[in-house]
Structure formats: C-alpha cells, structure tokens
C-alpha cells in the first residue's frame, strides 16, 4: 500500500521523526511530496494539518497500526506546499536533516510586532540644499554629500534605506536634525513614497538590451543566461523584465551578492517600482526578516531584493527570479544543506513556471555550457551602456623577468611608476592580493609552475612535517628541492600577505596614506563598511585588500588597480581555481576607471602564459571558456561530470579517520562501476577549532548516479557516526 511520511508542525525540531500515514486510494493521485493534508493526530485524533515529505510503498504491521490521511488540504496555501517541496529537494540533492532543510526555506514563526516604518523628511528648499552641498564638498564631508544628493529630487525617503544602504551614521543625521534640515517621523504607511523620483527619465533600452528582454519573455525555456560585460546595462534589463512580470500580477525575486547590495543598487529598483520593493540582508534581525517575508506573503510586496536567502521569499505568484553575478561563491550555501542557489532557483521556478535569469560578465563554465547546449537561453550585451565609457587598459607584468633583472620587490617597475603617478595626481589606487586559501601552495619563481598532484591537476600543499600533499586524493611526496619542470632551485610557497603589502607601500612610497581590508581588519560587516566609507571619503590614497575590494563597489577616483600576484588564486587546490582567477582578474579590471577618468590595471604574475591570465588580460571570456572546458572534460569535472564530497568531522582525529576509511571502503566496493572516488584525504583546512575534517570526493557521469551514491554514503555515514560525537555532511 502507498504510505506517506507526514510532518505535523514544520517549525519544530521533532520533524525528523515524521509520522507515517496510509494514503487512501481515493486520493492517491492528489497527494504528492509537499502536499498539505489533513490527518488525525495523537490519542484524541485531533484534525491537524501536515505536509507530505515522502511517499513510499510499505505495509501496516499488527504491532504498528497506521492511521489514514483524512483528505488533501484544499485550503492549504499552495506556496507553502512549494516551499516544503523545495526543502525535500534540498535534502535529496545536498543532504542534511529534514529540519535543517525546512528551516532553510521557512524562516520560522517568531511573533513579530508590526512596527510603523520610519521616514526621513527633508525640510529645506533647493537653494538651501545646494548651499549645504557646496559646503560639504568644500569640507570633504562625504557622508553629508551623499545624503544631500539622495534628497536632490525627493522629499521623503524610508529610514531603512538611508541608514542601511547609504552608510549614514547617527552623527551625520544629528547634524541635519539639529539644523532643522531633516525630520525623522513615523509614516502612517509607506504609500506615497513610491514614484518620488518619477521625474527621473529612464534610459531607452539599446538594441542589445531590447533583444535580451524580448528574447527572455518570448522564449519558453525556463532558464536564461544574460552574459553582459560590466556596465553593459544588465540591471536595466532586469528592471524591464520585472515590469512585465508585475503587469501580469506576478512577483519577482532579485538576488544580489550581499557585498554588492549597495544603496545605489537598491535605489534603482525602488525608484522604478516604489514601495512594493523590499530588501532583506544579513544585518536584519530575525524578526525584521520574518516581518518582510510576511508582507511578501500577504501581497504587500512584489519585489524582494537580497542575498541567496531571499530565494525563499514566500511569494504566491512568483514569476521571475533574477540572480545577478550568479557566478559568485556566496551563492553556494556555507551551511548544511549546502545548496547551489542556481539549481535551487531553477527547481523553485519550475513549480510556478517562473523564469530564472542568470546575469554575469564572467559566467560559470557550467552555465555557459548549458547555454551552448541549448538548455539555457543565451543573451549577450557586448557594449557598455553609457556612451563614451571605455574598458580599462590592462598590462600583464611577467614577474620572472623582474626577478632576473634584480628586482626582488613585490612591485614591478611598471606598477611602482604608475602608483607614483597616481599619488602625484591625487587619484586613488587599489592593490589587490588574492591570497584566500592559497596558503601552503608551492610554486617555482623561474617558470611559474606550481608543484601539482599527478592525479588531480591541483597544487600540492606544503605541510609542517616537510611533505607536500594533495587535498583531493591524499597523494603525498617529500618537499621538492628543485622545480620538477625547469630544474630551478627558486621554489617556495608564497609568503606575502596583505599586511606585508601595506607595510611595503608605506616603505616605498613615504607619505602615501593606506587602508587595508581583509578578514583581519574588518571584524564583521561593520568594519568592512567603515573601511570602504573611509576610502570613499579619500582618507587614504591606497587601499590594499583581498577579493573583498574588487567586488561590487565603485570608487570614482580609482584609476589604477594593481594585482600583486595573480597566481595566488591559481594555486588553490580546487578544480575551479582557474575559473575563480579569471573572474577575480576581470572584476579587478572592472574597478579601474568606472567613471569619466580612464583606468589602468596592472596584473603581476609568474605565469603570464596561463590561459586564465591571458584571457582576463584580453578581456575575452570565450578564450577562457574554451581552454577551461577542455581541462574539465579531460578530468570529468563539471560540466563533464558531477562532483560532490562527503565530509566526516569530529574532535577525535583517529576516530574520524577510521570512520571515513570504513565508509569509503564500503562505498568503493559497491559503486566501482558508477562512480570514481578520490581520497579519502584531509580537508584543505584539516583542523578547525580542534575539529578534524576528512573528505571523500566522488564523481559520476550523471546526476542520478551522483544522488544514488550520495544516498548510500549518507546511510553508511549515519550508521558509523551514530552516538559517537562524529558528524558528516556533504559539500558541492
Ligand atoms: P551592469 O548591471 O551590466 O553592470 P548597469 O545596468 O548598472 O550595468 O548599467 C551601467 C550604467 O549604464 C548605469 O549607470 C545605467 O544607468 C546606464 N545605462 C544602462 N542602460 C542604459 C541605456 N539604455 N542608456 C543609457 N544608459 C544606460
Ligand atoms: Zn620551474
Ligand atoms: Zn591528487
């Protein structure tokens, strides 16, 4: 007989013990995964609503008699069913407990007090505003300037947008309120705020933009790739698509990486659609987020903007999901379930026939491959939308030549010259050092080649015991004395960090004012905003930092971007390292000279012949793509295959190793024909807060094979770790 697992209260940790019910034949066609049903519950058989999370064939036993589902719950909100179904999808695809998956898609039911929104009302007239603005310019009060600019063509702005997104501090506000320029008051409602900038002319779409909009609307395929260079006007395309969706009475979700979720970006949506637009982001309290989701559910909001978690906005008639900069790694969840936002968005969109639009200047190889194969629609924007704006000049500097000509400094002659020039001109410089995750990778200073694993084509990592190890398959060898490629003895791991670069700048350019931004200096999101703010306010000439500085922020006076060592990200032991490098270099180039002044980007490298460096310098995505696809196909990495890893962790290192060994041996024996296993090996960050992590990679040709192996590994790992204070999870 057909049985169903039913969760009764989807906001309770108890859902991992779902209850089994019989599906009466009469409803068997109507009851599906995610369906809401009415069931008799508990001793008194009270009628409760539940959700079906699984259907299976089984039997009732005399020891455990089962109750029958009373009926499908017709009155249930179909969007809740959809979200439950999405949770089931997450669990099958990425692992995790049902509770973890449900709480990913449903934010919970914390009581929220409805608070009245606050607004800032601007009280002075245009001539006074201009006077204040001129004073602010003269005194370089940048925050005041930004606020005065925001009120240029409107009187009232929601407080949340101003303080969250415009980076206006309390002391700046105090100046305005003390001088009677601004009033903060509660709004009865936010109606009337919309269209406050209606006077602003909207740009007429150019031919490429027009074709993209029409192409996406008229093409029946659900997923579309909008491949457009930085500044080509992708956002304008999103705005037109949203307009269409709203006119049909449907809703839209716009995902933007948190770091790019700036005031300017949010305002562009707000200006077009007014108060049906809302934002969620990580600084909101749980209650605030739930409040905004509730408004979306009630139909008060129609457009939700936010990072990946905004994908779960409970809209009832979802028509469009936009994923801007969809290649960003922040779209891979870093908590169980480690879902891919792109895949999950496609799944959610399929429930309502919504479209998914993936926007990027540097699409992931997987997505571009889907488009080439015709499974995604492909729309290109090849020109910058603002007439007269030009691409930056890019210079690739071979550091091996610097070394052989006696320059051992971190700065090439060409970069040093250009930094000096900018300091004289009082323009700003960004120095980018991408060192995340590279640490321990070893490479040759003469030929530039990393010392790689013979099995995995990723860089080996240096360990304190003097060995080099592969963090994918576990291969190890003693540290090399000379380069296996060219025989040079100049072989070492990269030792330079952002702190060192900052010190070098101060040493080589006395008087240059510096700021540094990396995980150490930012101390949470506030620190990060503060540094950007200070750089924006010209409190420094040179900003040194990790990849955080090349993402999403426009500094009009930056005319030079220096990449200290492009190779660092190529050395990361991950099959995506070339792709990440290409993306980061392209983003770094995009930071140079976005406004009127032409910009330059200097890329220093020991591997100038690497295709990722060459393609980035030539600003040629397809050159990169063709080379990268070959590499992926040779090694059956995505898109040529499916890859996932099982992680076993715990505080007892030897128990972790033993459990992983047992699980891996069993899986290898069972799946020798369907999957390729790599490892087990120590994770690239093996020890985190005294927790040890072992990983087992597995590759398959098809997604269904991958899911089969994953389910088996899950069962094995569950059995081996049970009651032992050991944990397991899956990562993509
Ligand atoms: P992207 O999202 O591709 O980086 P944006 O949508 O931010 O690009 O557009 C870059 C700039 O070009 C913005 O200032 C935008 O207002 C402007 N822009 C976009 N489309 C047009 C157009 N059709 N005509 C004039 N300006 C445009
Ligand atoms: Zn060499
Ligand atoms: Zn290997």
């Amino acid at each position: 007989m057909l049985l169903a697992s039913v969760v009764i209260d989807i906001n309770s940790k108890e859902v991992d013990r779902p209850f089994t019910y019989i599906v009466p034949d009469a409803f068997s066609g109507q009851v599906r995964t995610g369906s809401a049903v009415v069931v008799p519950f508990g001793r008194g058989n009270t009628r409760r609503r539940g959700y079906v999370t699984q259907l299976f064939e089984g039997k009732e036993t005399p020891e455990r008699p089962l109750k029958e589902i009373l009926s499908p719950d017709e009155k249930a909100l179909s969007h809740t069913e959809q979200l439950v179904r999405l949770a089931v999808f997450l669990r099958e695809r990425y692992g995790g407990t049902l509770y973890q998956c449900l709480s990913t898609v449903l934010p919970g039911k914390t009581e929220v007090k409805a608070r009245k929104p606050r607004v800032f009302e601007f009280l002075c007239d245009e001539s006074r505003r201009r006077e204040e603005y001129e004073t602010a310019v003269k005194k370089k009060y940048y925050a005041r300037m930004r606020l005065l600019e925001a009120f240029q063509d409107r009187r009232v702005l929601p407080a949340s947008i101003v303080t969250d997104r415009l980076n206006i501090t309390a002391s700046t506000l105090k100046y305005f309120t003390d001088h009677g320029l601004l009033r903060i008051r509660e709004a009865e409602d936010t109606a009337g705020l919309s269209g406050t900038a209606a006077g602003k002319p909207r740009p007429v779409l150019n031919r490429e933009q027009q074709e993209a909009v029409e192409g996406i609307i008229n093409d029946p395929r659900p997923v579309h790739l909008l491949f457009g260079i930085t500044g080509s006007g992708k956002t304008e395309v999103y705005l037109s698509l949203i307009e269409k969706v709203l006119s049909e009475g449907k809703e839209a979700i716009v995902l933007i990486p948190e770091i790019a979720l700036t005031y300017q970006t949010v305002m562009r949506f707000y200006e077009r659609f007014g108060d049906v637009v809302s934002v969620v982001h990580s600084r909101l309290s749980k209650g605030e987020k739930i409040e905004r989701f509730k408004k979306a559910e009630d139909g008060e909001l129609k457009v939700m903007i936010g990072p990946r978690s905004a994908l779960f906005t409970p809209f009832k008639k979802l028509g469009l999901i936009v994923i801007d900069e969809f290649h960003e790694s922040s779209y891979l969840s870093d908590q169980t379930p480690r879902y891919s936002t792109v895949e999950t968005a496609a799944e959610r969109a399929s429930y309502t026939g919504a479209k998914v639009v993936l926007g990027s200047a540097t699409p992931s190889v997987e997505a571009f491959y889907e488009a080439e194969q015709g499974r995604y629609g492909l729309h290109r924007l090849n020109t910058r939308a603002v007439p007269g704006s030009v691409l930056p000049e890019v210079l690739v500097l071979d550091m091996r030549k610097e070394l052989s000509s006696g320059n051992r400094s971190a700065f090439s002659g060409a970069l040093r010259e250009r930094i000096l020039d900018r300091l004289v001109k009082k323009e700003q410089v960004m120095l980018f050092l991408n060192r995340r995750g590279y640490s321990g990778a070893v490479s040759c200073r003469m030929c530039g080649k990393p010392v790689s694993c013979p099995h995995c084509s990723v860089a080996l990592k240096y360990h304190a015991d003097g060995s080099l190890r592969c963090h994918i398959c576990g291969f190890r060898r003693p540290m090399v004395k000379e380069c296996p490629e060219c025989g040079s003895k100049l072989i070492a791991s990269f030792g330079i960090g952002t702190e060192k670069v900052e010190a070098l700048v101060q040493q080589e350019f006395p008087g240059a004012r510096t700021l540094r931004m990396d995980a150490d200096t930012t101390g949470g999101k506030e620190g990060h905003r503060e540094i950007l703010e200070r750089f924006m306010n010209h409190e420094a000439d040179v900003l040194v930092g990790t990849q955080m500085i090349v993402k999403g922020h426009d500094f009009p006076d930056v005319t030079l971007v220096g990449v200290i060592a492009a190779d660092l990200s190529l050395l990361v032991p991950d099959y995506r390292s070339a792709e990440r490098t290409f993306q980061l270099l392209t983003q770094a180039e995009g930071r140079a000279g976005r406004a009127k002044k032409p910009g330059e980007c200097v890329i220093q490298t020991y591997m100038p012949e690497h295709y990722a460096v060459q393609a980035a310098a030539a600003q040629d995505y397809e050159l990169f793509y063709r080379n990268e696809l070959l590499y992926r196909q040779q090694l059956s990495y995505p898109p040529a295959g499916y890859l996932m890893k099982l992680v076993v962790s715990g505080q007892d290192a030897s128990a972790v190793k033993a459990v992983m060994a047992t699980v891996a041996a069993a899986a290898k024996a069972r799946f020798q024909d369907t999957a390729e296993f790599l490892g087990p090996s120590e994770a690239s960050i093996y020890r985190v807060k005294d927790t040890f992590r072992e990983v087992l990679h597995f590759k398959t040709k098809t997604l269904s094979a991958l899911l089969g192996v994953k389910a088996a590994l899950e069962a094995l790992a569950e059995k081996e770790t049970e009651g032992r204070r050991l944990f397991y999870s899956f990562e993509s």
Side-chain angles (χ1 to χ4, degrees), residues 372-426:
E372 259 199 336
Q373 299 290 310
R375 286 187 289 268
Y376 291 178
L378 176 60
H379 312 271
R380 294 171 195 255
L381 304 178
N382 295 315
T383 46
R384 285 207 163 169
V386 179
S389 80
V390 285
L391 294 171
E393 195 79 37
V394 182
L395 193 72
V396 175
L397 245 283
D398 186 344
M399 293 304 276
R400 297 169 307 188
K401 292 204 184 116
E402 296 286 321
L403 199 62
S404 44
S405 68
N407 177 13
R408 283 174 175 263
S409 141
F411 307 117
S412 59
L415 181 55
R416 181 176 306 128
E417 219 171 80
R418 283 170 176 74
I419 295 175
L420 273 174
D421 172 70
R422 298 314 193 276
L423 290 173
V424 171
K425 289 189 189 149
K426 303 237 176 293

Side-chain angles (χ1 to χ4, degrees), residues 172-192:
T172 301
L173 277 180
K174 187 161 185 307
Y175 168 84
F176 283 92
T177 47
D178 285 356
H179 288 75
L181 303 168
L182 190 79
R183 190 158 66 105
I184 304 173
R185 61 173 169 84
E186 277 187 356
E188 276 318 306
D189 55 68
T190 45

Side-chain angles (χ1 to χ4, degrees), residues 426-448:
K426 303 237 176 293
E427 292 172 359
Q428 288 181 300
V429 178
M430 285 183 8
L431 295 178
F432 165 51
L433 186 76
N434 176 36
R435 77 184 167 145
R436 197 179 89 192
Y438 88 95
S439 77
V442 171
S443 77
C444 171
R445 291 294 190 277
M446 287 319 290
C447 74

Side-chain angles (χ1 to χ4, degrees), residues 453-458 460 470-475 678:
C453 173
H455 310 293
C456 303
S457 292
V458 300
L460 296 175
C470 173
H471 286 269
I472 290 185
C473 74
F475 171 84
L678 302 161

Side-chain angles (χ1 to χ4, degrees), residues 1 9 16 120 151 321 341 448 491 512 594 601 620 669 695:
M1 61 177 64
D9 178 354
D16 278 320
F120 291 171
F151 282 110
I321 303 171
T341 303
I491 200 139
R594 289 289 303 265
C601 179
D620 184 348
V695 295

Side-chain angles (χ1 to χ4, degrees), residues 400 443-450 482-491:
R400 297 169 307 188
S443 77
C444 171
R445 291 294 190 277
M446 287 319 290
C447 74
K449 298 260 161 47
E482 54 189 42
C483 172
E485 294 284 331
C486 75
S488 154
K489 292 198 163 52
L490 280 174
I491 200 139

